Amino acid sequence: MFSICLIGVIPLGTIVYILFLFFDNPSYQTAIHIFARKKCEQRANKNAPYIASYLSCFLYEVIKKNDIVDIPVSDTSINYSGYAIRKNSVIYRFITPVADMPDVDEYNLQKILQNTVIGQLNHYGITGLSSVYQDTTTIVPSVYIDRILYSEEKHLVAVDVLYICTSKDLLYYQNAVRESNNKNKAERTVYDDEV
């Protein structure tokens, strides 16, 4: 009985020891971490081309219908540039060429477009996708304008869009709105007559 246990324990112990040495090496840990990250990204963005095509059409309608934003758009002027993974959420980037930069700064343009997005979702919805994300406790609009970037030398406006379809996206959205509200409160100027 002892020899049978010894025959089973020695190879098993050797394998565990080799695995311990293998995973203790920092280069192997990095390789495993990168491999796991790529697999998570592939799973998160498997529907990215499908969602991006509908978001591109929706963003075109939003910019076209907004009279405040001075961005001339045509049917082919909003181009899908790719996606990025931020805090386990897929952010889609759309680029539109412009002759002159809009008069509105990036932060205010984001707010204007977000308000237009909410109005568009409430009244017309979004073709091919859900217009709201509904959780057990929350209902939020499914499209969020995360960031807007100007490139004056390339004459481009880049719009980063989050499509909320998972609980991780909802968490990202809630944190982004909270940070935006805190930033807005911190930047408010108080005058003497208001005190």
Side-chain angles (χ1 to χ4, degrees):
M1 179 82 165
F2 178 72
S3 62
I4 293 173
C5 288
L6 192 61
I7 291 172
V9 170
I10 289 176
L12 186 62
T14 305
I15 292 171
V16 169
Y17 179 72
I18 291 170
L19 287 175
F20 176 74
L21 290 177
F22 178 76
F23 287 117
D24 194 38
N25 189 338
S27 63
Y28 293 132
Q29 289 177 352
T30 304
I32 291 170
H33 178 70
I34 289 172
F35 177 75
R37 181 104 175 141
K38 283 183 181 178
K39 288 297 179 185
C40 289
E41 286 180 10
Q42 286 175 352
R43 190 178 49 204
N45 64 28
K46 70 179 181 180
N47 293 327
Y50 170 76
I51 293 172
S53 62
Y54 288 115
L55 284 177
S56 177
C57 295
F58 179 73
L59 192 60
Y60 164 74
E61 290 294 324
V62 166
I63 293 175
K64 183 179 165 187
K65 289 185 178 182
N66 194 321
D67 297 335
I68 300 171
V69 178
D70 188 25
I71 300 176
V73 291
S74 64
D75 292 340
T76 59
S77 65
I78 295 186
N79 302 311
Y80 173 58
S81 173
Y83 63 87
I85 305 291
R86 287 190 207 140
K87 299 178 184 174
N88 296 323
S89 295
V90 180
I91 306 293
Y92 302 90
R93 176 163 285 181
F94 298 94
I95 294 176
T96 184
V98 292
D100 297 319
M101 289 296 121
D103 295 332
V104 182
D105 67 336
E106 295 162 342
Y107 177 75
N108 288 326
L109 182 60
Q110 175 193 0
K111 294 297 177 192
I112 292 168
L113 283 180
Q114 183 60 37
N115 290 336
T116 309
V117 162
I118 292 171
Q120 183 86 1
L121 289 173
N122 289 339
H123 294 298
Y124 304 107
I126 180 170
T127 304
L129 299 172
S130 175
S131 60
V132 295
Y133 174 77
Q134 186 171 358
D135 201 355
T136 55
T137 59
T138 310
I139 297 175
V140 296
S142 62
V143 179
Y144 175 67
I145 306 295
D146 186 49
R147 190 183 314 174
I148 294 181
L149 303 168
Y150 293 162
S151 175
E152 291 188 32
E153 60 272 358
K154 295 180 182 178
H155 295 285
L156 296 173
V157 174
V159 181
D160 290 351
V161 179
L162 169 69
Y163 178 69
I164 303 168
C165 59
T166 65
S167 58
K168 292 178 183 177
D169 297 336
L170 177 65
L171 182 63
Y172 182 92
Y173 167 76
Q174 290 171 337
N175 289 336
V177 168
R178 188 176 305 118
E179 287 174 12
S180 176
N181 290 340
N182 289 341
K183 181 181 174 185
N184 203 11
K185 287 178 185 177
E187 289 181 357
R188 187 174 182 272
T189 306
V190 178
Y191 297 99
D192 289 339
D193 57 348
E194 291 180 347
V195 175

